[in-house]
PDB file of all heavy atoms in Angstrom:
ATOM      1  N   LYS S  34     -16.824  27.140 -10.277  1.00 97.00           N
ATOM      2  CA  LYS S  34     -15.639  27.674  -9.527  1.00 97.00           C
ATOM      3  C   LYS S  34     -15.650  29.242  -9.491  1.00 97.00           C
ATOM      4  O   LYS S  34     -15.314  29.848  -8.450  1.00 97.00           O
ATOM      5  CB  LYS S  34     -14.320  27.223 -10.098  1.00 97.00           C
ATOM      6  CG  LYS S  34     -14.074  25.767  -9.863  1.00 97.00           C
ATOM      7  CD  LYS S  34     -13.882  25.539  -8.392  1.00 97.00           C
ATOM      8  CE  LYS S  34     -13.257  24.207  -8.105  1.00 97.00           C
ATOM      9  NZ  LYS S  34     -13.138  24.011  -6.617  1.00 97.00           N
ATOM     10  N   ASP S  35     -16.053  29.872 -10.607  1.00 95.00           N
ATOM     11  CA  ASP S  35     -16.044  31.335 -10.596  1.00 95.00           C
ATOM     12  C   ASP S  35     -17.101  31.885  -9.590  1.00 95.00           C
ATOM     13  O   ASP S  35     -16.832  32.815  -8.886  1.00 95.00           O
ATOM     14  CB  ASP S  35     -16.217  31.921 -11.989  1.00 95.00           C
ATOM     15  CG  ASP S  35     -17.518  31.519 -12.649  1.00 95.00           C
ATOM     16  OD1 ASP S  35     -18.025  30.371 -12.397  1.00 95.00           O
ATOM     17  OD2 ASP S  35     -18.095  32.266 -13.474  1.00 95.00           O
ATOM     18  N   LYS S  36     -18.244  31.248  -9.551  1.00 96.00           N
ATOM     19  CA  LYS S  36     -19.275  31.667  -8.600  1.00 96.00           C
ATOM     20  C   LYS S  36     -18.839  31.371  -7.194  1.00 96.00           C
ATOM     21  O   LYS S  36     -19.086  32.162  -6.272  1.00 96.00           O
ATOM     22  CB  LYS S  36     -20.617  31.009  -8.927  1.00 96.00           C
ATOM     23  CG  LYS S  36     -21.199  31.357 -10.259  1.00 96.00           C
ATOM     24  CD  LYS S  36     -21.665  32.791 -10.280  1.00 96.00           C
ATOM     25  CE  LYS S  36     -22.302  33.092 -11.638  1.00 96.00           C
ATOM     26  NZ  LYS S  36     -22.505  34.509 -11.816  1.00 96.00           N
ATOM     27  N   GLU S  37     -18.216  30.228  -7.028  1.00 97.00           N
ATOM     28  CA  GLU S  37     -17.738  29.876  -5.667  1.00 97.00           C
ATOM     29  C   GLU S  37     -16.737  30.910  -5.127  1.00 97.00           C
ATOM     30  O   GLU S  37     -16.856  31.368  -3.982  1.00 97.00           O
ATOM     31  CB  GLU S  37     -17.058  28.506  -5.720  1.00 97.00           C
ATOM     32  CG  GLU S  37     -16.426  28.048  -4.411  1.00 97.00           C
ATOM     33  CD  GLU S  37     -15.725  26.706  -4.496  1.00 97.00           C
ATOM     34  OE1 GLU S  37     -15.818  25.980  -5.509  1.00 97.00           O
ATOM     35  OE2 GLU S  37     -15.136  26.322  -3.494  1.00 97.00           O
ATOM     36  N   ALA S  38     -15.841  31.332  -6.001  1.00 97.00           N
ATOM     37  CA  ALA S  38     -14.866  32.324  -5.570  1.00 97.00           C
ATOM     38  C   ALA S  38     -15.585  33.699  -5.283  1.00 97.00           C
ATOM     39  O   ALA S  38     -15.236  34.323  -4.292  1.00 97.00           O
ATOM     40  CB  ALA S  38     -13.788  32.529  -6.692  1.00 97.00           C
ATOM     41  N   SER S  39     -16.492  34.044  -6.090  1.00 96.00           N
ATOM     42  CA  SER S  39     -17.281  35.285  -5.899  1.00 96.00           C
ATOM     43  C   SER S  39     -17.962  35.293  -4.544  1.00 96.00           C
ATOM     44  O   SER S  39     -17.920  36.246  -3.764  1.00 96.00           O
ATOM     45  CB  SER S  39     -18.262  35.518  -6.996  1.00 96.00           C
ATOM     46  OG  SER S  39     -19.013  36.662  -6.837  1.00 96.00           O
ATOM     47  N   VAL S  40     -18.655  34.205  -4.261  1.00 97.00           N
ATOM     48  CA  VAL S  40     -19.430  34.093  -3.037  1.00 97.00           C
ATOM     49  C   VAL S  40     -18.459  34.084  -1.852  1.00 97.00           C
ATOM     50  O   VAL S  40     -18.782  34.721  -0.804  1.00 97.00           O
ATOM     51  CB  VAL S  40     -20.357  32.884  -3.020  1.00 97.00           C
ATOM     52  CG1 VAL S  40     -20.956  32.658  -1.670  1.00 97.00           C
ATOM     53  CG2 VAL S  40     -21.404  32.994  -4.090  1.00 97.00           C
ATOM     54  N   LEU S  41     -17.372  33.383  -1.934  1.00 97.00           N
ATOM     55  CA  LEU S  41     -16.349  33.389  -0.846  1.00 97.00           C
ATOM     56  C   LEU S  41     -15.851  34.785  -0.566  1.00 97.00           C
ATOM     57  O   LEU S  41     -15.706  35.145   0.562  1.00 97.00           O
ATOM     58  CB  LEU S  41     -15.150  32.508  -1.185  1.00 97.00           C
ATOM     59  CG  LEU S  41     -15.384  30.951  -0.965  1.00 97.00           C
ATOM     60  CD1 LEU S  41     -14.306  30.189  -1.644  1.00 97.00           C
ATOM     61  CD2 LEU S  41     -15.462  30.640   0.493  1.00 97.00           C
ATOM     62  N   GLY S  42     -15.648  35.546  -1.630  1.00 96.00           N
ATOM     63  CA  GLY S  42     -15.240  36.925  -1.456  1.00 96.00           C
ATOM     64  C   GLY S  42     -16.319  37.752  -0.759  1.00 96.00           C
ATOM     65  O   GLY S  42     -16.027  38.609   0.132  1.00 96.00           O
ATOM     66  N   ASN S  43     -17.587  37.509  -1.060  1.00 96.00           N
ATOM     67  CA  ASN S  43     -18.677  38.238  -0.445  1.00 96.00           C
ATOM     68  C   ASN S  43     -18.780  37.844   1.042  1.00 96.00           C
ATOM     69  O   ASN S  43     -19.021  38.698   1.900  1.00 96.00           O
ATOM     70  CB  ASN S  43     -19.997  37.916  -1.177  1.00 96.00           C
ATOM     71  CG  ASN S  43     -20.119  38.638  -2.483  1.00 96.00           C
ATOM     72  OD1 ASN S  43     -19.481  39.665  -2.684  1.00 96.00           O
ATOM     73  ND2 ASN S  43     -20.864  38.042  -3.397  1.00 96.00           N
ATOM     74  N   ILE S  44     -18.585  36.587   1.345  1.00 97.00           N
ATOM     75  CA  ILE S  44     -18.554  36.159   2.729  1.00 97.00           C
ATOM     76  C   ILE S  44     -17.458  36.812   3.504  1.00 97.00           C
ATOM     77  O   ILE S  44     -17.658  37.265   4.618  1.00 97.00           O
ATOM     78  CB  ILE S  44     -18.494  34.615   2.854  1.00 97.00           C
ATOM     79  CG1 ILE S  44     -19.765  33.964   2.281  1.00 97.00           C
ATOM     80  CG2 ILE S  44     -18.309  34.188   4.333  1.00 97.00           C
ATOM     81  CD1 ILE S  44     -19.703  32.485   2.093  1.00 97.00           C
ATOM     82  N   GLY S  45     -16.304  36.949   2.842  1.00 96.00           N
ATOM     83  CA  GLY S  45     -15.137  37.614   3.431  1.00 96.00           C
ATOM     84  C   GLY S  45     -15.523  39.082   3.754  1.00 96.00           C
ATOM     85  O   GLY S  45     -15.132  39.585   4.855  1.00 96.00           O
TER      86      GLY S  45
END
Side-chain angles (χ1 to χ4, degrees):
K34 289 294 197 181
D35 60 328
K36 297 293 183 190
E37 179 181 352
S39 176
V40 174
L41 280 166
N43 287 333
I44 294 169

